């Protein structure tokens, strides 16, 4: 896929984020949220998050890199998140995320499939009632399932 299509996707994600920011609080946001993001290796992801408690949620998500750099990658996973109510600094709240995901990478030299278990610390910054920006970092335990050269 040409690099121009990857830039177009970035623009689309920015436009969608702006629409959610301007739209205010949606009807079902108290229980169900839509998530989107970009991660390592230019992998774009989208998912659903069930906010079953005031600070706790369960997520299901999938990701794809749209063939950027002649490598095909995809992922699918689940996660449990907790974000504490009391801000650490200004409006930034701390929390953690535990999950499991299956991800693959395929190019002309390699094909591999892995199961990974991320243990992440997170910081969440509410931009508006409808949009929160979140940064995560931590440790991932990775187990190869298939590895071919």
């Amino acid at each position: 896929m040409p690099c121009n299509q990857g830039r177009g996707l970035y623009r689309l994600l920015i436009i969608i984020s702006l629409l959610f920011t301007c739209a205010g609080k949606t009807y079902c946001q108290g229980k169900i949220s839509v998530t989107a993001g970009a991660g390592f290796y230019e992998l774009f992801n989208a998912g659903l998050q069930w906010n079953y408690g005031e600070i706790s949620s369960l997520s299901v998500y999938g990701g794809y890199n749209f063939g950027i750099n002649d490598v095909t990658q995809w992922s699918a996973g689940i996660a449990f998140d907790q974000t504490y109510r009391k801000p650490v600094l200004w409006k930034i709240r701390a929390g953690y995320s535990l999950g499991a995901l299956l991800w693959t990478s395929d190019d002309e030299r390699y094909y591999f499939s892995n199961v990974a278990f991320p243990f992440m610390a997170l910081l969440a910054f509410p931009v508006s009632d409808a949009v929160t920006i979140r940064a995560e970092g931590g440790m991932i335990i990775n187990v190869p399932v298939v590895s071919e050269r």
Side-chain angles (χ1 to χ4, degrees):
M1 172 179 270
C3 193
N4 291 347
Q5 291 178 350
R7 283 190 215 130
L9 185 62
Y10 278 118
R11 289 185 192 130
L12 179 64
L13 288 174
I14 291 170
I15 290 169
I16 290 171
S17 298
L18 289 173
L19 287 174
F20 277 120
T21 302
C22 297
K25 193 160 183 140
T26 58
Y27 173 72
C28 65
Q29 189 177 358
K31 289 293 179 188
I32 303 292
S33 300
V34 176
T35 62
F40 202 57
Y41 297 118
E42 298 173 329
L43 195 67
F44 305 99
N45 59 62
L48 291 175
Q49 185 172 16
W50 174 41
N51 307 305
Y52 65 89
E54 203 169 317
I55 64 172
S56 302
S57 63
L58 291 172
S59 301
V60 177
Y61 57 90
Y64 187 63
N65 78 331
F66 299 96
I68 295 174
N69 298 332
D70 296 325
V71 178
T72 301
Q73 298 174 327
W74 67 266
S75 67
I78 58 172
F80 168 76
D81 307 320
Q82 272 198 321
T83 306
Y84 301 108
R85 284 183 268 179
K86 185 176 178 183
V88 174
L89 177 68
W90 192 34
K91 295 190 316 185
I92 298 173
R93 300 182 327 167
Y96 65 90
S97 175
L98 306 171
L101 69 120
L102 174 66
W103 66 279
T104 67
S105 181
D106 187 12
D107 64 17
E108 60 191 37
R109 293 180 292 168
Y110 299 103
Y111 172 78
F112 54 91
S113 179
N114 299 286
V115 174
F117 302 96
F119 302 95
M120 302 289 188
L122 67 88
L123 294 174
F125 176 76
V127 176
S128 70
D129 286 343
V131 175
T132 299
I133 296 174
R134 191 164 101 175
E136 295 184 4
M139 175 180 76
I140 297 177
I141 298 172
N142 195 48
V143 179
V145 177
V146 176
S147 179
E148 297 177 4
R149 293 181 185 230

